[in-house]
Amino acid sequence: MITKKVAIVTGGSRGIGSAICQTLAKESDYYLLINYTSNQSAAETTLQKVEENGGTGEIIKFDVSNSDEVKGALTAWQEANPDLVVEVVVNNAGITKDGLFMWMTNQDWDS
């Protein structure tokens, strides 16, 4: 039995995350999990570009700042794909809170 290797890219739908997904599609044989939180259209566009670059994958929705949501989405995905193994995690998701960190609220820091 051959097990396909998987790479998950958080925040993979836009910007740097999308570029990472496209580069992985060109330069590796990883099956890509393209994470997004709210912009499904951008995630679908990234998946299309991955496929155009010879890669394979799917989109997966969860908010990385919500541990229950992450655990639920990834557990459901793994149960549906027992022969796939996540080997690479690219923690790219983030938000922009411009300002000096010493003046950030605890909530902004946690986000």
Side-chain angles (χ1 to χ4, degrees), residues 2-44:
I2 297 174
T3 303
K4 187 126 176 98
K5 301 179 295 184
V6 178
I8 183 168
V9 181
T10 65
S13 64
R14 297 182 292 168
I16 293 170
S18 180
I20 291 168
C21 290
Q22 292 173 59
T23 300
L24 285 170
K26 289 177 193 173
E27 298 180 5
S28 76
D29 63 347
Y30 284 107
Y31 181 84
L32 299 175
L33 289 180
I34 302 164
N35 164 251
Y36 74 101
T37 300
S38 60
N39 193 333
Q40 183 174 344
S41 176
E44 290 170 350

Side-chain angles (χ1 to χ4, degrees), residues 30-86:
Y30 284 107
Y31 181 84
L32 299 175
L33 289 180
I34 302 164
N35 164 251
Y36 74 101
T37 300
S38 60
N39 193 333
Q40 183 174 344
S41 176
E44 290 170 350
T45 297
T46 296
L47 178 58
Q48 180 181 358
K49 290 178 181 178
V50 161
E51 292 169 346
E52 288 170 2
N53 285 303
T56 59
E58 65 186 272
I59 61 174
I60 184 167
K61 180 180 180 179
F62 60 82
D63 179 349
V64 297
S65 69
N66 182 326
S67 61
D68 290 335
E69 196 172 315
V70 172
K71 185 176 180 179
L74 292 178
T75 297
W77 180 86
Q78 188 65 71
E79 288 172 354
N81 299 280
D83 295 332
L84 300 182
V85 176
V86 175

